[in-house]
Amino acid sequence: MATHFLGDTAVLTGRTLRHVTRSLDTIITTAITPIAIMLMFVYVFGGAIDTGSVSYVNYMLPGILLITIASGISYTAFRLFGDMQGGIFERFHSMPIARSGVLWAHVLTSLVANVISLVLVFGVALLMGFRSGAGVLSWLAVAGILILFTLALTWIAVIPGLTAKSVDGASAFSYPLVFLPFISSAFVPTGTMPGPVRAFAEHQPVTSIVNTLRGLLTQQPVGTDVWTALAWCAGILVVAYVFANVSYRRRIS
Amino acid sequence: MSIPTASARAPGPAIHVRGLERSYKQLRVLRGVDFEVARGTIFALLGSNGAGKTTVVRILSTLLKADAGSVRVNGFDVATQAADVRASISLTGQFAAVDEILTGRENLVLVARLRHVRQPGAIADELLRRFSLTEAGARRVATYSGGMRRRLDIAMSLIGTPPVIFLDEPTAGLDPQARIEVWQAVEELSERGTTVLLTTQYLEEAEHLADRIAILHQGRIIVDGTQDRTTTSNK
């Protein structure tokens, strides 16, 4: 059975990828909200925010990328919920295939869909004047952190996808995740925030991830932020993965 | 792992159920169900809504665990040899869906690849032809009528020629013409030596198709009889 895991997962991923390519609106919807926020902040609020020597579009792009991922994964939950409700899972589970491949197919599809959305947002940022002198290694590090963050949030999305009672419930969980970057260093330096808010902002995962991405893209030293960021991503990933698999086993037994 | 074909027979009946019990919380859905299905026959499980037919099918197809009793499919125990059972069966009907976003042909190719059969494309084309879906093969299933969808569903379950097929209410919600099409498909299956277990709410359907009919009522089999096709009387 294990020998079929890779092949079965590839076939099942091909299926869910078709769901994405046949409803490209989901990718566009994913990209449009962060793009709108980006336009708003750069051309409306940005002038009033002091980010020192860094241009505002360069300053806020990392946060926008995290918002893109947070809104993209709600479609992962949505697709998974559809499969649970529609009965296609039952067909797969009654077949001699590697069962865990059914979940992994959704996770891999989520990665691909989010990467496409991220590229779209990056493209608009370039048009808006985003520039970076980062070297290849820094770009690879940026890509790696974004993928790790996407994986972590995707496994979170799997949980409501498997357990939700309604479509709304399956995607509503992403709103707080989309909102989290606003209370972080993503759009304004945390130094301007009142005490308790600042304390929250500086100790939640988004700030360390944003600071790391920003440091890499603006060729500044990332310091200890990178380790905090990786620890958050890995921690969320492991916890979400365990809970997702517990929910999955509960649903199929 | 190879997929057993209809001709590769394990000894004994195709389906063997003894003392099967299953409850959902306080509700005892199955209270000791016994029946056997001989190889190559069509067996109809007749019962009203909520009689527990779907629960039986879900247990037979390893989607649900029994609380008590012994269940063997193609000689394999559903609890301890689930993978072998899955390699021996196909499930279609009420709750085993087709993928609406894919085309009919893509659905067939998907199942063929998951069952690791050779030449998935050729098999898909042959099944489309056999079920009169060639024209519709390139269209998304979302555009299909109820009858076409059910035919595709049955076609998908034939891939890999599993020796046992479960059809859960295969004609529920279909118009008379579509129902006849499904009946023809089921009869054809049986002629090829496949064992078919189907559930239905309609006595007429059970009488038309089945070699043997069992009536499931309040969690037990109350009638289990051989069909005499000429007189349609139970023994």
Side-chain angles (χ1 to χ4, degrees), chain A residues 148-159:
Chain A
L148 192 62
F149 187 69
T150 308
L151 263 183
L153 291 201
T154 296
W155 280 107
I156 292 182
V158 166
I159 301 168

Side-chain angles (χ1 to χ4, degrees), chain A residues 1 4 7-8 11-12 15 18-19 22 83 86-97 99 252-253, chain B residues 1 58 62-63 83 86-87 89 91 95-99 101-102 106 110-111 114-116 140 153 156:
Chain A
M1 199 64 80
H4 286 153
D8 290 348
V11 171
L12 291 166
R15 164 183 171 263
R18 276 204 179 123
H19 285 215
R22 283 181 195 170
D83 275 6
I88 197 94
F89 262 31
E90 310 257 89
R91 183 185 282 279
F92 292 149
H93 288 152
S94 70
M95 289 172 66
I97 60 170
R99 283 188 168 189
I252 64 174
S253 66
Chain B
M1 189 177 64
R58 290 176 62 98
T62 76
L63 294 177
R86 283 180 214 132
I89 63 161
L91 172 67
F95 55 82
V98 293
D99 189 322
I101 294 167
L102 300 187
E106 285 169 343
L110 172 70
V111 172
L114 288 175
R115 286 202 179 264
H116 311 109
R140 287 195 202 184
D153 192 352
M156 282 161 77

